Structure formats: structure tokens, C-alpha cells
Amino acid sequence: MTWDPKKYNEFKEDRYKPFGDLTSHIVDKPNLKVIDLGCGTGELTQKLSHQLTNPFVLGIDSSAEMLAKTPHQDNIEFRQLSITEQLEQETKWDLIFSNAALQWVDNHKELFRTIISRINANGQLAVQMPQQTENVLNQILIDLVQEEPYASYLNNWIRPSPVLTLDEYAKILFDYGGKDLVLYQKVYPLIATQKDSFFDFISGSALTVYQERLKENEFKELSIEFKKRIDHCFPSIPSIYAFKRLVMYAKF
């Protein structure tokens, strides 16, 4: 997947708000061995390291463009790896952290089982993801790409969200030994103060997987229709988009 750090960071403040909620559940201990799955530009990886006592932190991301923006700090290392590639390694961690990244990995029942198996005894898991299946922009997009002519442009390829329900995540965490579980869905409102604000927000995330599979003229056509449908759903300015995210924490 190709990421544009500039486009993604246009909404940096909105994307980073859940970080504080997620990290508030983490229990600090000296010398934690920490991994950030899907670290992006590493800005929040560094912020996480500053909230812990003398940790070693590894941030991994598949995007060279994002990793080119990472900060330099003695106790933080960054590597270009996909989350799947990292989890194939048997290295274990005291804290596995992931902020708005696991929604890009499929088969969450198997994914979370594997993640939990990479946590040391008395370790912690902290995860935040957008609840794509309930967010209206994602719903508009997934319906649109299954219609013609876009379905033909994409050879009937779609990227359905792998994100499960809170009940399903609670069961997975409990069944694999999770304790002190904290799971909740929270709305992080986005306010459109000008036309195309909501389109610009999703174009830096969920729309990218379709953009890289379409010709330039096909993507332009899709974008025009997508904007029309967003405008129909949010006809006035300013408008509020009730963007839902899942926050999950467990000890093992």
C-alpha cells in the first residue's frame, strides 16, 4: 500500500487524539521491551517512549515513505516490515502497541491469536482501530466500488474491512488469557468546515488501496462520484462526522 505522509498528516491532530486514550491504560514498568506495529512516521512511537521508564522500542511499518520521516532517538529503532512479516518472527515483547494500523491486516481472529502469542508473561496489549464497518464514509466507499463501472475497473476486487465487533474481540482476548480487559468504542468527531473535507480525510487512508489499483482517469471518475455521495450524506457546511474507533487493552 502506498502512503502519502503529507496527505495523511493533513488530519494529524484528529488521527492522534485516540493515542492519549489508548496509552492511558498502559502500566509503566522500567525497561519494557516494546513494539509499535504500524508506526507510520514514528512521531507517536517516540511519544510513547517518553511515557515509559527506560524502554527499548521498535517501530515497524511497511511504508518507506512514512519511515523516511521517523525521528532519531537512542532507545528507538525503526524497521521496514509489514505487520505480518514481523509477527512471523518469534520475538516476544512486554508491550505490543498498535495505533490505527491493524485494520489493514486481514483475518483478525488469527491475527490477534498470533499477536497474543508474541507477548511475554505479565505483558500488555494496547490496540486502537477505526471501526470501519460502522463508519459511514467506509460504507459509502465499499458500496460504490461494487457498482459499475468501478467494479469492472477493479476486476471486482474490493477490500472489505476485517475489523470485528467488540464482543468478538472481548472473547478472543479472554479466551487467550487476557486479564484486566478494557474495551470500548468511542466517537471522535470530525467537523467539515469546507467542501471536500471528509473526502480529503478518507483519501489519506481507506481510499488509497483503490487508488493504487486504478488508472488515473478511472480514479478521477471514482473520486468525483464518491464526493457527490459524501455531499448527499453531508449536505451542509459545517457538518459532523461521528468517526468511531475501538480502543482495547489487556494484560497477559
Side-chain angles (χ1 to χ4, degrees):
M1 218 166 88
T2 303
W3 287 95
D4 180 349
K6 183 178 179 182
K7 173 63 71 175
Y8 188 81
N9 282 336
E10 285 179 8
F11 295 86
K12 181 169 71 173
E13 294 306 315
D14 291 305
R15 298 187 193 279
Y16 286 6
K17 284 177 183 177
F19 173 85
D21 289 328
L22 183 60
T23 56
S24 70
H25 304 294
I26 295 171
V27 178
D28 182 24
K29 300 176 183 178
N31 307 314
L32 289 177
K33 184 179 177 184
V34 180
I35 188 165
D36 183 358
L37 299 177
C39 63
T41 62
E43 184 176 347
L44 292 182
T45 314
Q46 184 179 52
K47 190 172 182 179
L48 173 63
S49 76
H50 291 162
Q51 295 180 13
L52 301 173
T53 304
N54 194 36
F56 167 76
V57 184
L58 172 64
I60 65 105
D61 202 280
S62 60
S63 170
E65 295 82 6
M66 288 289 200
L67 290 171
K69 306 291 185 181
T70 54
H72 296 283
Q73 186 172 308
D74 287 345
N75 66 330
I76 303 178
E77 181 180 340
F78 294 100
R79 296 179 194 165
Q80 185 177 353
L81 284 172
S82 71
I83 292 172
T84 302
E85 288 169 335
Q86 175 61 45
L87 293 175
E88 287 173 353
Q89 302 179 22
E90 296 186 359
T91 310
K92 293 197 173 187
W93 306 87
D94 300 315
L95 168 62
I96 295 184
F97 178 87
S98 187
N99 185 65
L102 295 184
Q103 71 272 16
W104 299 116
V105 185
D106 292 331
N107 191 358
H108 274 209
K109 290 183 179 179
E110 178 63 22
L111 171 65
F112 274 74
R113 183 199 68 78
T114 303
I115 288 173
I116 292 166
S117 74
R118 301 294 184 257
I119 300 175
N120 283 325
N122 301 312
Q124 303 172 75
L125 174 65
V127 172
Q128 182 272 123
M129 296 178 290
Q131 180 50 291
Q132 293 172 323
T133 55
E134 295 187 19
N135 284 331
V136 65
L137 292 186
N138 297 91
Q139 293 168 349
I140 294 171
L141 179 58
I142 200 71
D143 289 342
L144 179 59
V145 296
Q146 294 178 82
E147 298 177 11
E148 292 297 345
Y150 317 109
S152 293
Y153 294 162
L154 292 160
N155 294 316
N156 295 309
W157 182 88
I158 62 170
R159 208 280 169 169
S161 174
V163 178
L164 306 173
T165 66
L166 272 180
D167 286 1
E168 289 174 302
Y169 288 118
K171 186 175 189 310
I172 292 168
L173 296 178
F174 178 78
D175 285 350
Y176 287 100
K179 302 182 185 305
D180 297 339
L181 302 183
V182 179
L183 300 97
Y184 55 92
Q185 178 174 282
K186 182 175 177 179
V187 170
Y188 293 86
L190 298 174
I191 308 298
T193 57
Q194 58 187 16
K195 185 177 171 60
D196 295 340
S197 288
F198 293 152
F199 173 82
D200 291 342
F201 175 77
I202 199 168
S203 69
S205 55
L207 195 57
T208 58
V209 295
Y210 296 102
Q211 182 177 9
E212 66 185 12
R213 287 170 172 78
L214 293 170
K215 297 176 182 176
E216 185 176 351
N217 65 304
E218 293 171 345
F219 181 69
K220 183 177 180 180
E221 185 180 341
L222 174 69
S223 297
I224 290 170
E225 181 59 29
F226 191 19
K227 288 178 182 179
K228 287 180 182 177
R229 298 192 185 194
I230 293 173
D231 289 345
H232 179 75
C233 188
F234 302 95
S236 61
I237 298 294
S239 285
I240 184 170
Y241 173 30
F243 192 72
K244 304 175 184 73
R245 295 181 182 270
L246 302 179
V247 177
M248 297 182 281
Y249 170 84
K251 293 179 182 176
F252 291 89

